Amino acid sequence: MEFNNHDELVAASKNAAKKWRLVPAPQRGEVVRQFGNELRIQKAALAKVITAESKKIVTEAEGEVQEAIDMCDFATGLSRQLYGLTMPSERPDHRLQELWQPIGVVGCITAFNFPMAVFAWNFCLASVCGNSIIWKPSPHSNGCADALKNAWDKVAGEHKDLVLVLKGGNEEAVALCKDSNIPLISATGSTQMGKELAPIVSARLGRTLLELGGNNAAIICPTADLDLTVKGVTFSACGTTGQRCTTLRRAFVHEDIYEEFMQKLHAYYATLKIGDPSDKSSQLGPLISKSSYEDMQKVLESLGDKDVKVHGGQRLDVGDPQEFYVMPAIVEVLKVEDEMLNETFAPILYVKKFTELNNAIQMQNNVKQGLSSSIFTNDMRESELFLSSEGSDCGIANVNIGTSGAEIGGAFGGEKDTGGGRESGSDAWKTYMRRVTATVNYGKELPLAQGVEFDES
Ligand code: UN1
């Protein structure tokens, strides 16, 4: 259905939510299960749309559709587990209980790099919770949004309007944020975008779920299995051509193993297959746009005057000359350079030596962002320190795994400039619901809490 304007679209979404919330949650879960089955059938075709638009390699595009399928399965189970606690009341013959109710329309703004999975994180939870969604995809990924909308329409019966796609850019996003008919705005993108949108939503006391920039680091310790580490580091630094919010951007390597690690890392980088993302043997496709390429080059140029060693980073002539293929860059630094403090959405990995683990943890945390982090070690004391309150300050902390490639079962998101939101697994569903604290008096008296007396006598 086409809508003439923002208000009509929002009204349709609101109506859809009103009808849908009357459907018992397990039945909502059943429709989401069918959506997942449709995605299973269309997996290869959907992955092709991702590759064409987002330029992701085949296995990552298929993995992304799988992530959406996994979310459907997760949400189907969740539809029978939207549990509320029951607390003991301090008053006789009273029940004190938490109920979870749908919040209504969810506004969902997604980025080009995960054009289907992040929608699925939001939609699968929002829908089993009884809400509708208005989805504003990245202008780079309108085809991905159309493809998922079609898949939904196939299984949705009378609930097609539960998913409405709003195409556009900033203006459309701002209109969603301003609209008090939309109690929750879930937005994925840069920190700058989040800082622009969040005040608009909070000015009307709306709720936000933000998944913004990362500046993720790995700490590589003397006992690390270096072959495993080099693979984990390379996948995290180069996968999706460095364009994940979870991409590894900084590595702190212990001085005892620095030379050996660097040698292995360079050798591994030299084997990377960079080329047409639809060719199954490619490991890296091109950057999303010319401007991302320019941003990457600007940073590498600004490093030119500094006491650093830059390897790679140049444009490669390996496919369509319109596209911006690059050799991922490794930048060896002697001190923390300013460039390392910002997220450049391209494959640049800064590497720095460290001597003391505490100092490496400090450098890791000493950035504005707080999304993902890793330690590579076989020393349990080191890994436990990293996971303790004195360790990583990120929302995601991994041991002997890179910073990217999280599973859907855990809550996904990060702290500080990353925005604080949690999506996907665990109890992230609660953000999509309204919590009602219900106290029921089934007795014949009216005792007041805290022993307050209000009788005249
Ligand atoms: C993102 O880049 O916005 O953990 C999300 C990962 C993916 C999700 C990344 N599952 O790398």
Side-chain angles (χ1 to χ4, degrees):
M1 205 191 289
E2 288 297 323
F3 298 93
N4 294 319
N5 55 45
H6 169 94
D7 289 345
E8 274 184 22
L9 180 107
V10 174
S13 185
K14 246 180 137 169
N15 276 337
K18 266 191 190 159
K19 260 198 280 166
W20 179 249
R21 72 179 186 219
L22 299 176
V23 177
Q27 287 180 36
R28 303 197 287 251
E30 170 57 20
V31 184
V32 171
R33 189 180 70 78
Q34 288 171 25
F35 181 48
N37 285 348
E38 186 58 33
L39 300 184
R40 279 187 171 84
I41 295 168
Q42 295 191 29
K43 183 171 174 182
L46 290 169
K48 280 203 173 111
V49 184
I50 297 178
T51 298
E53 281 194 333
S54 296
K55 307 175 189 182
K56 292 175 81 158
I57 60 167
V58 177
T59 177
E60 285 185 8
E62 285 175 354
E64 170 146 13
V65 183
Q66 188 58 47
E67 195 161 340
I69 294 168
D70 294 344
M71 270 313 297
C72 292
D73 291 353
F74 178 84
T76 302
L78 184 67
S79 70
R80 291 182 184 270
Q81 301 173 76
L82 302 170
Y83 300 134
L85 296 172
T86 303
M87 285 71 71
S89 169
E90 65 189 51
R91 289 171 279 186
D93 297 339
H94 277 57
R95 191 174 76 245
L96 179 55
Q97 193 182 10
E98 241 170 30
L99 307 170
W100 293 92
Q101 304 294 4
I103 48 168
V105 181
V106 175
C108 176
I109 297 166
T110 59
F112 79 88
N113 62 336
F114 275 84
M116 293 193 184
V118 174
F119 165 75
W121 291 353
N122 284 279
F123 173 62
C124 294
L125 298 188
S127 61
V128 297
C129 290
N131 307 303
S132 63
I133 199 162
I134 298 177
W135 179 16
K136 198 209 80 60
S138 151
H140 288 289
S141 339
N142 286 330
C144 288
D146 287 338
L148 284 195
K149 167 69 176 156
N150 286 339
W152 170 252
D153 284 355
K154 267 187 123 166
V155 302
E158 57 175 319
H159 300 291
K160 293 191 175 57
D161 282 357
L162 211 65
V163 177
L164 293 178
V165 177
L166 172 65
K167 291 181 186 165
N170 243 6
E171 208 180 301
E172 285 70 18
V174 168
L176 284 182
C177 292
K178 279 188 178 158
D179 197 327
S180 51
N181 291 299
I182 306 176
L184 169 66
I185 296 287
S186 167
T188 302
S190 66
T191 295
Q192 193 196 330
M193 179 214 70
K195 285 186 174 170
E196 283 168 26
L197 296 186
I200 303 175
V201 184
S202 33
R204 60 172 173 90
L205 303 182
R207 206 185 279 181
T208 50
L209 194 176
L210 299 174
E211 206 263 280
L212 310 174
N215 190 353
N216 316 301
I219 297 174
I220 298 152
C221 300
T223 59
D225 172 336
L226 286 191
D227 290 326
L228 175 153
T229 304
V230 161
K231 272 191 204 169
V233 164
T234 309
F235 173 70
S236 284
C238 301
T240 326
T241 318
Q243 301 169 109
R244 289 193 193 206
C245 54
T246 50
T247 292
L248 177 64
R249 312 222 175 263
R250 299 173 295 138
F252 300 107
V253 185
H254 192 270
E255 58 185 359
D256 289 356
I257 48 157
Y258 188 86
E259 297 308 326
E260 191 187 351
F261 172 78
M262 287 313 288
Q263 212 178 356
K264 284 181 188 269
L265 187 69
H266 284 305
Y268 204 82
Y269 265 55
T271 67
L272 288 174
K273 295 192 189 67
I274 302 164
D276 181 351
S278 64
D279 176 339
K280 278 205 167 157
S281 68
S282 296
Q283 291 169 291
L284 277 82
L287 289 165
I288 187 71
S289 65
K290 184 172 183 215
S291 74
S292 328
Y293 171 73
E294 287 168 351
D295 289 348
M296 178 182 183
Q297 297 310 310
K298 230 180 275 164
V299 172
L300 293 177
E301 273 160 32
S302 81
L303 287 161
D305 317 330
K306 303 194 169 171
D307 194 7
V308 304
K309 261 194 249 167
V310 179
H311 312 263
Q314 74 278 18
R315 191 169 173 189
L316 298 177
D317 180 13
V318 290
D320 183 345
Q322 304 288 328
E323 299 289 354
F324 290 85
Y325 290 94
V326 289
M327 181 64 203
I330 296 174
V331 183
E332 291 182 78
V333 302
L334 297 174
K335 63 177 186 59
V336 174
E337 301 287 352
D338 288 347
E339 287 79 359
M340 298 168 70
L341 303 178
N342 296 314
E343 179 188 45
T344 306
F345 224 55
I348 303 175
L349 175 66
Y350 298 96
V351 188
K352 190 185 173 312
K353 232 180 243 182
F354 77 87
T355 309
E356 293 294 334
L357 179 56
N358 278 322
N359 179 243
I361 291 175
Q362 210 175 9
M363 286 189 287
Q364 176 204 273
N365 290 344
N366 220 352
V367 290
K368 286 187 175 159
Q369 307 85 345
L371 179 56
S372 186
S373 57
S374 300
I375 190 167
F376 289 88
T377 181
N378 280 308
D379 181 333
M380 181 240 224
R381 290 190 176 128
E382 290 176 340
S383 56
E384 291 296 321
L385 171 66
F386 181 75
L387 298 177
S388 76
S389 62
E390 306 314 296
S392 163
D393 68 357
C394 293
I396 297 172
N398 295 332
V399 177
N400 293 331
I401 299 175
T403 52
S404 64
E407 300 177 22
I408 61 112
F412 182 95
E415 304 303 327
K416 305 188 292 189
D417 268 9
T418 302
R422 290 296 186 279
E423 298 177 293
S424 178
S426 184
D427 63 353
W429 60 272
K430 290 180 175 170
T431 308
Y432 302 82
M433 300 204 93
R434 174 166 69 80
R435 184 196 306 242
V436 180
T437 299
T439 312
V440 176
N441 176 5
Y442 53 87
K444 291 187 173 152
E445 307 295 325
L446 190 72
L448 300 177
Q450 295 89 39
V452 172
E453 298 279 358
F454 199 65
D455 284 344
E456 278 167 28
S457 56

